[in-house]
Amino acid sequence: MGMIGNYCKITPDQFHSLKTGQITVSEFLYSDNHVLEDDLLDIDKAWDCIHFVLTGKGMVDLVEPELEMSPMYQIIMGGQAISNEDIGYGSARYLTPKEVKACHQTIKSITEHDFKTRVTAEQLVEHQIYPLSDQVDEDFIPYAYEYFRDVQAFFEQANTEEKYMLLYIN
């Protein structure tokens, strides 16, 4: 099992229902009546590696306040809590359509070469990138890149659809 990174595209009406507590986040995400399969993205355990490639920081690293506000940071670890409900590893967070657009613009042109040459497998271990901790795995960066391509496409769709984005780890 482990810590799995997830995204969910939501409409302004869905956002309002979640933000005002008309529906709980877990009911919204885990019941069959609220979310279309095309509005969900699971990036498995690649989330911390993708975050590290984009920011140079892992979840255990201290982060400067300026970095927290950047679109590169927002893509994985950003957003505002939509409620106090813990849905696995903390609250679901949201990005506004404007923030989704900024994130999309930031990552849309990152190529496979760019992604794979920003870090080494040894750096992932050095920075305790989940789930590697103390084992060097040369195959993890290509694995994470496949999920990053999905993230690029998902942010492009959300931007085109002018949707909010939920980010959560469960």
Side-chain angles (χ1 to χ4, degrees), residues 58-72:
M59 73 171 170
V60 298
D61 293 323
L62 294 176
V63 177
E64 302 82 20
E66 309 82 53
L67 179 60
E68 284 185 350
M69 300 310 296
S70 74
M72 289 288 203

Side-chain angles (χ1 to χ4, degrees), residues 14 26 45 49 71 78 86 96 99 114 118 130 141 150 169-170:
Q14 291 169 323
S26 57
K45 296 176 184 175
C49 181
D86 186 336
T96 65
E99 291 167 326
D114 295 337
R118 287 186 181 200
Y130 180 80
I141 295 171
D150 295 341
I169 297 173
N170 62 6

Side-chain angles (χ1 to χ4, degrees), residues 1-6 41-52 59 76 89 115 124 128-133 135 140-141 143-145 147-148 168-170:
M1 189 82 166
M3 298 169 70
I4 307 299
N6 297 276
L41 176 65
D42 171 337
I43 61 170
D44 199 41
K45 296 176 184 175
W47 58 271
D48 200 21
C49 181
I50 294 169
H51 183 68
F52 185 72
M59 73 171 170
I76 301 288
Y89 291 93
F115 187 92
L124 298 179
Q128 301 174 9
I129 300 305
Y130 180 80
L132 299 176
S133 62
Q135 62 191 32
F140 199 76
I141 295 171
Y143 158 86
Y145 175 72
Y147 283 105
F148 176 70
Y168 57 101
I169 297 173
N170 62 6

Side-chain angles (χ1 to χ4, degrees), residues 100-140:
V100 168
K101 180 178 184 171
C103 290
H104 166 64
Q105 294 296 324
T106 300
I107 63 171
K108 71 179 183 179
S109 61
I110 296 174
T111 66
E112 180 176 7
H113 176 77
D114 295 337
F115 187 92
K116 291 181 177 179
T117 57
R118 287 186 181 200
V119 298
T120 65
E122 290 78 14
Q123 288 174 312
L124 298 179
V125 171
E126 177 185 332
H127 288 269
Q128 301 174 9
I129 300 305
Y130 180 80
L132 299 176
S133 62
D134 63 352
Q135 62 191 32
V136 174
D137 183 350
E138 296 293 336
D139 295 328
F140 199 76

